[in-house]
């Protein structure tokens, strides 16, 4: 495997991990927006406690993906940044508002006061960001970012590449998958059977939505993203494997086997993201930029791979500790969490 | 407004906003870890409460810093795609390392904020130290990449193409130690004094209060040590500029014509039309001596460069004066506080001065950033790539500029109010 291909794998791995972590955090925001019924407040509380300790670490996978893209495939980064300026800008506004609103609500405010307003901002931004992330990735996959062979710059009118049916189908697919993932994870964040039931129902609805939008995206891909379509048809095991895992996840959910459902749902989302990567391999930004012709000089690739390895050695133990502390048990009842949140004020003076 | 100016303005606003939170993300954890360390050694409720309050502050500031930093990493491609196509591979290395350092910081912060009673005390404190160390590392990596724009190295240009890229040589270029130390000290300096300003204000309003006194002491030690070291680092930075970026030095000093015995100008306003700096107090020979260690040395004036290779002299000179003036004021404050020791808390005059002038650190920070970035113009990579040649072909860039400006003004105001009301205010007393 060439160094460029290894970096491309690392890029897809960080996008997969971003989807599995931050994707579910965005999905949590979606369920905050659609919290309903007699347990709406407790649904929101469970979501907040589930996201709190980990969302910032989850977020960094996106930064890592961007950095890998611009260090190792600079022409691809330039092309994407130029042609998809508008959806990326909206995505960024969403990311900024989601993170800030969550922080304001969780650490800045006394209970009650203005919390609801920031909660609403957090929830709406959690809806917009996955949509725009999906639109951006869908536009890349659609193969409409062509490169002028003379100027080596992307040919673009800044709009038509993303303002089309296929990118938006991918946007809604990302939204549905993230919401689905979040609902499945959330079944394990509470001991309360009723709350679990709430999240299970939401997971089932989101599964159906994801399946519908997924099929729609596939149909649209025939015209809207021919390279992906051909890639998927040429590798039928990709679609078959994805379908199999999805149905297994649905079964586990239906039978209330939540730990198994969590693993299978994560696999399902990972398979979707990685499947996109495989379907368009070796193209990076189809049709013109490939892993080979967009790659930075080899010494750079080797140095970045070294940095990845060294960074992983330092990072993984800390990340493992974080997840063991907060996600280690099968579940983390909110009632026992509450006494761990430092909000009391000592009678000091 | 031209698209180039809009792009530059958006970048300036994004950086000016992010730098405040980046600095807080580097220095707040130090305060927080010191407070918790003192609590581990001495016990008692005050230091614990301080650590918890400062942790809440860190959480808010870090979150906004993380998202505004994400915006910047994308903006490099949204606004300057041709710069990134050129520079991405050369400076990608420190950015990758920064990614990991930032990752570690976020991970440790998660453990710290939510782990108060879930992990052992010492592990919790170590997580806080981990936040501080990885925050500093992340700052250092970004700074090596940024200072590379002043000191491009680690590649060769052959017929307009980049060859022989050496990521390590690019990262450890001639200027990195000097520029990194200066900015890291600035981080501790301006955050230490800003926190001191907030707690000094609370002491003035509410009278003696152990919570604010301890807070003020810790913040002043961190800010004060940095304030004492910063002039040394500043001198090294100016000497470096004299050697490697003489046009920037000329702009900083309002030096239009080359001359030996060049004077150091305090204040004054450069007038580019007439080629003179008016209204400055001039100390003859001092600039030659400071820059080259010899009062007879010739300092090059900005008129040595063709017009299209000069940075805007007035902006750079004024920003430089503001930075130095603010730094000197803070140094004086630090020394005054040191001379009073514990009597500081009774000295209302000094507390008042601290509560107002403590904020000068952030003024110095933004001014210093202006000096280094505007002083590099018209180049985005010094003497290799022009800023104007790097901008995106995207039209109507004024729209995203206004969008992000509005967003950041709004968020900045919210953060300020939240911190004042809920983090730094006096702890509630039991009824």
């Amino acid at each position: 495997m060439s160094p460029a291909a290894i970096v491309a794998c690392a890029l897809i791995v960080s996008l997969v991990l971003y989807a599995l972590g931050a994707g579910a955090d965005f999905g949590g925001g979606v369920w905050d927006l659609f919290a309903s019924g007699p347990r709406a407040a407790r649904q929101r509380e469970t979501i907040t406690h589930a996201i709190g300790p980990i969302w910032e670490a989850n977020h960094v996978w996106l930064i890592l993906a961007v950095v890998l893209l611009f260090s190792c495939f600079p022409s691809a980064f330039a092309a994407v940044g130029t042609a998809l300026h508008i959806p990326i800008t909206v995505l960024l506004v969403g990311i900024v508002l989601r993170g800030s609103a969550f922080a304001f609500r969780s650490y800045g405010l006394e209970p009650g006061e203005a919390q609801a307003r920031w909660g609403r901002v957090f929830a709406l931004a959690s809806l917009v960001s996955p949509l725009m992330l999906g639109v951006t990735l869908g536009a890349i996959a659609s193969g409409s970012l062509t490169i002028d062979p003379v100027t080596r710059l992307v040919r673009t009118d800044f709009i038509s590449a993303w303002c089309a049916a296929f990118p938006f189908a991918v946007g809604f697919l990302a939204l549905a998958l993230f919401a689905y993932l979040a609902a499945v994870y959330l079944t394990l964040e509470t001991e309360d059977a009723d709350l679990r039931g709430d999240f299970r129902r939401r997971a089932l609805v989101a599964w159906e939505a994801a399946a519908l939008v997924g099929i729609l995206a596939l149909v649209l891909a025939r015209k809207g993203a021919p390279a992906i379509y051909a890639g998927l048809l040429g590798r039928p095991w990709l679609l078959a494997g994805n379908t199999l895992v999805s149905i297994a996840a649905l079964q586990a959910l239906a039978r209330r086997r939540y730990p198994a459902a969590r693993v299978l749902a994560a696999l399902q989302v990972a398979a979707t993201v990685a499947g996109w990567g495989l379907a368009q391999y070796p193209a990076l930004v189809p049709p013109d930029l490939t892993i080979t012709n967009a790659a930075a000089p080899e010494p750079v690739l080797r140095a970045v791979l070294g940095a990845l390895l060294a960074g992983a050695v330092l990072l993984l133990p800390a990340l493992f500790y974080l997840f063991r502390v907060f996600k280690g048990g099968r579940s983390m009842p909110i009632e026992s969490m509450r006494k761990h949140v430092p909000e009391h004020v000592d009678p000091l003076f | 407004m031209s698209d180039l100016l809009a792009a530059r303005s958006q970048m300036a606003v994004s950086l000016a906003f992010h730098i405040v939170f980046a600095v807080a993300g580097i220095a707040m954890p130090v305060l927080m870890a010191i407070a918790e360390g003192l609590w581990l050694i001495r016990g008692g409720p005050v230091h614990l409460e301080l650590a918890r309050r400062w942790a809440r502050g860190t959480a808010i500031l870090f979150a906004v810093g993380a998202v505004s930093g994400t915006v910047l990493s994308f903006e490099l491609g949204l606004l300057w795609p041709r710069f990134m196509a050129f520079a991405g591979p050369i400076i990608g290395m420190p950015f990758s390392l920064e990614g990991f350092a930032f990752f570690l910081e976020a991970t440790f912060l998660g453990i710290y904020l939510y782990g108060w009673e879930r992990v052992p005390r010492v592990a919790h404190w170590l997580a806080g130290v981990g936040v501080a160390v990885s925050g500093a590392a992340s700052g250092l990596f970004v700074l090596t990449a940024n200072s590379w724009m002043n000191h491009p190295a680690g590649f060769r240009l052959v017929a307009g193409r980049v060859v022989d890229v050496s990521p390590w040589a690019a990262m450890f270029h001639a200027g990195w130690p000097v520029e990194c130390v200066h900015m890291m000290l600035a981080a501790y300096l301006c955050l230490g004094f800003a926190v001191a300003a907030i707690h000094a204000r609370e002491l003035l309003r509410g009278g003696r209060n152990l919570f604010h006194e301890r807070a003020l002491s810790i913040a002043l030690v961190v800010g004060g040590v940095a304030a004492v070291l910063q002039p040394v680092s500043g001198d090294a930075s100016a000497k470096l500029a004299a050697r490697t970026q003489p046009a920037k030095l000329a702009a900083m000093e309002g030096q239009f014509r080359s001359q030996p015995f060049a004077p150091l100008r305090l204040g004054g306003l450069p007038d580019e039309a007439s080629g003179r700096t008016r209204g400055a107090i001039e100390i003859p020979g001092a600039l030659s001596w400071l820059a080259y260690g010899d009062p007879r040395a010739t300092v090059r004036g900005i008129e040595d460069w063709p017009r299209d290779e000069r940075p805007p002299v007035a902006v750079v000179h004024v920003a430089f004066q503001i930075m130095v003036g603010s730094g000197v004021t803070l140094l004086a404050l630090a020394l005054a506080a040191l001379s009073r020791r514990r009597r500081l808390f009774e000295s209302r005059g000094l507390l008042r001065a601290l509560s107002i002038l403590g904020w000068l650190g952030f003024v110095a920070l933004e001014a210093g950033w202006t000096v280094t970035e505007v002083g590099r113009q018209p180049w985005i990579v010094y003497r290799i790539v022009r800023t104007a040649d790097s901008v995106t072909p995207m039209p109507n860039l004024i729209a995203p500029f206004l969008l992000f400006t509005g967003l950041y003004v709004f968020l900045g105001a919210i953060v300020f109010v939240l911190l004042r009301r809920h983090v730094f205010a006096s702890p509630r007393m039991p009824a």
Side-chain angles (χ1 to χ4, degrees):
Chain A
M1 224 170 161
S2 71
I6 301 177
V7 177
C9 283
L11 192 63
I12 281 289
V13 168
S14 42
L15 281 179
V16 166
L17 291 171
Y18 182 70
L20 296 185
D25 297 339
F26 282 121
V30 173
W31 296 124
D32 184 293
L33 189 65
F34 294 124
S36 61
R39 291 173 292 277
R42 287 170 61 213
Q43 289 167 9
R44 291 205 169 99
E45 206 179 342
T46 309
I47 293 164
T48 306
H49 282 291
I51 296 177
I54 51 163
W55 74 272
E56 281 172 306
N58 286 338
H59 172 74
V60 189
W61 291 112
L62 180 66
I63 299 183
L64 191 64
V66 169
V67 167
L68 285 178
L69 187 65
F70 75 57
S71 335
C72 298
F73 305 103
S75 50
F77 182 64
V80 170
T82 306
L84 304 179
H85 191 117
I86 296 169
I88 293 177
T89 297
V90 180
L91 166 67
L92 290 175
V93 172
I95 286 177
V96 167
L97 284 177
R98 196 278 301 235
S100 316
F102 187 79
F104 296 163
R105 189 176 73 161
S106 308
Y107 321 114
L109 294 163
E110 310 296 330
E113 173 206 14
Q115 269 195 344
R117 212 173 328 135
W118 285 114
R120 189 53 60 91
V121 175
F122 157 70
L124 280 172
S126 298
L127 195 78
V128 171
S129 309
L131 183 66
M132 283 298 132
L133 181 70
V135 167
T136 304
L137 296 182
I140 295 173
S142 71
S144 50
L145 304 189
T146 53
I147 306 292
D148 187 313
V150 181
T151 62
R152 298 159 58 94
L153 297 174
V154 65
R155 292 197 194 94
T156 180
D157 60 6
F158 307 101
I159 290 176
S160 58
W162 58 271
C163 199
F166 178 74
F168 273 87
V170 177
F172 283 105
L173 178 61
L175 187 60
L177 281 176
F178 289 175
Y180 161 66
L181 203 54
V184 174
Y185 289 177
L186 283 166
T187 58
L188 287 166
E189 296 281 348
T190 175
E191 294 283 3
D192 182 318
D194 292 337
L195 262 184
R196 279 194 162 178
D198 288 351
F199 290 126
R200 175 174 166 271
R201 270 193 305 283
R202 282 163 170 70
L204 291 171
V205 171
W207 188 96
E208 285 161 16
L212 276 176
V213 189
I215 292 167
L216 177 71
L218 191 63
V219 172
L220 288 170
R222 204 163 81 91
K223 287 240 172 66
I228 293 282
Y229 191 74
L232 283 175
L233 290 194
R235 302 174 178 84
W237 49 272
L238 270 179
L239 276 180
N242 200 323
T243 313
L244 224 62
V245 177
S246 309
I247 289 171
L250 184 68
Q251 283 297 316
L253 258 182
R255 295 185 187 163
R256 297 188 165 77
R257 296 202 176 131
Y258 297 119
R262 172 162 71 176
V263 174
L264 289 166
L267 260 179
Q268 179 187 346
V269 172
T272 308
V273 180
W276 156 59
L278 277 172
Q280 67 168 48
Y281 179 88
L284 191 64
V285 180
D288 296 331
L289 294 176
T290 66
I291 290 172
T292 318
N293 71 17
E298 196 151 320
V300 175
L301 301 176
R302 289 187 185 284
V304 169
L305 283 174
L308 278 181
L309 202 67
V313 168
L314 278 174
L315 172 70
L316 291 180
L319 207 56
F320 178 77
Y321 187 64
L322 175 77
F323 276 82
R324 212 197 58 181
V325 169
F326 295 105
K327 305 284 160 190
R330 201 175 67 89
S331 66
M332 190 171 50
I334 223 169
E335 290 71 27
S336 76
M337 257 307 277
R338 207 176 264 137
K339 69 171 195 273
H340 297 296
V341 178
E343 60 170 348
H344 77 285
V345 175
D346 302 302
L348 292 179
F349 308 104
Chain B
M1 191 180 225
S2 73
D3 281 325
L4 173 62
L5 187 60
R8 285 185 59 195
S9 306
Q10 183 179 335
M11 206 64 191
V13 165
S14 302
L15 280 166
F17 181 80
H18 176 69
I19 199 171
V20 172
F21 296 90
V23 155
I26 289 169
M28 265 318 274
V30 174
L31 300 187
M32 166 187 107
I34 291 177
E36 193 184 3
L38 288 171
W39 171 67
L40 283 178
I41 297 168
R42 296 190 197 156
V46 180
H47 281 127
L48 176 62
E49 182 61 21
L50 249 186
R52 289 186 161 182
R53 293 291 199 92
W54 278 345
R56 279 177 105 186
T58 306
I60 296 175
L61 293 163
F62 182 83
V64 179
V67 292
S68 59
T70 309
V71 171
L72 275 170
S73 66
F74 277 95
E75 272 175 344
L76 291 172
L78 294 178
L79 300 174
W80 315 106
R82 292 176 222 191
F83 161 67
M84 285 313 285
F86 168 83
I90 309 174
I91 55 172
M93 179 74 177
F95 276 115
S96 313
L97 294 171
E98 192 268 345
F100 280 103
F102 181 63
F103 221 139
L104 272 174
E105 193 180 2
T107 306
F108 284 131
L109 191 65
I111 297 170
Y112 193 88
L113 290 177
Y114 289 84
W116 282 98
E117 283 159 46
R118 294 195 140 237
V119 301
R121 279 183 180 188
V122 173
H124 186 263
W125 178 71
L126 283 176
V129 174
V131 179
V133 171
S134 43
S138 131
L140 278 174
F141 289 131
V142 168
L143 289 168
T144 59
N146 174 263
S147 55
W148 173 87
M149 294 157 75
N150 292 323
H151 304 93
F155 67 99
R156 285 194 310 126
L157 272 183
V158 175
R161 290 185 63 94
V162 175
V163 295
D164 292 346
V165 176
S166 159
W168 293 106
M171 190 171 156
F172 299 111
H173 54 77
W176 80 273
V178 172
E179 292 204 22
C180 287
V181 167
H182 195 58
M183 182 62 212
M184 294 306 287
L185 283 175
Y188 300 117
L189 195 163
C190 77
L191 193 97
F193 274 97
V195 171
I198 295 169
H199 289 288
R201 181 170 174 274
E202 294 297 328
L203 279 173
L204 282 169
R205 284 173 11 145
R208 306 261 333 224
N209 177 328
L210 206 54
F211 176 80
H212 295 299
E213 290 179 6
R214 298 245 163 103
L216 185 59
S217 308
I218 296 174
L220 267 184
V221 167
V222 171
V225 169
V228 171
L229 296 175
Q230 192 65 307
V232 183
S233 152
D235 178 57
S237 300
K239 286 188 162 73
L240 177 73
R243 205 153 42 82
T244 60
Q245 292 186 285
K248 182 185 274 181
L249 183 80
M252 280 156 64
E253 302 292 354
Q255 182 78 34
F256 281 95
R257 267 170 288 278
S258 300
Q259 66 178 108
F261 295 103
L264 186 68
R265 294 178 186 79
L266 306 179
L269 188 66
D271 174 23
E272 286 172 60
S274 66
R276 291 176 55 188
T277 299
R278 290 174 213 282
I281 302 165
E282 300 198 352
I283 307 171
L287 177 56
S288 294
W289 178 70
L290 278 176
Y292 300 103
D294 175 3
R296 287 164 301 175
T298 298
V299 174
R300 289 177 73 188
I302 199 73
E303 291 179 355
D304 261 22
W305 284 269
R307 280 199 178 277
D308 69 343
E309 290 183 15
R310 294 179 197 169
V313 181
V315 175
V316 178
H317 178 72
V318 170
F320 183 62
Q321 304 305 306
I322 292 174
M323 177 188 79
V324 175
S326 306
V328 171
T329 310
L330 291 178
L331 176 61
L333 274 179
L335 295 177
L338 183 70
S339 71
R340 293 226 186 13
R341 302 280 173 85
R342 296 226 160 267
R343 283 181 295 116
L344 162 67
F345 305 122
E346 290 142 29
S347 158
R348 289 188 73 82
L350 188 54
L351 286 179
R352 182 152 299 131
L354 267 174
S355 72
I356 298 164
L357 299 176
W359 292 102
L360 279 179
F362 278 107
V363 175
L365 179 77
E366 299 287 359
W369 193 253
T370 307
V371 170
T372 194
E373 293 295 302
V374 179
R376 192 189 57 238
Q377 302 302 324
W379 308 99
I380 193 166
V381 181
Y382 189 58
R383 298 204 70 78
I384 294 181
V385 186
R386 280 176 186 273
T387 312
D389 296 334
S390 311
V391 72
T392 177
M394 169 94 186
N396 303 320
L397 287 178
I398 190 162
F401 163 56
L402 293 177
L403 177 71
F404 279 103
T405 306
L407 181 65
Y408 284 159
V409 168
F410 170 66
L411 287 182
I414 302 279
V415 170
F416 186 77
V417 171
L418 284 184
L419 290 181
R420 244 182 59 180
R421 280 207 204 136
H422 301 288
V423 175
F424 294 102
S426 299
R428 277 173 302 164
M429 297 217 236

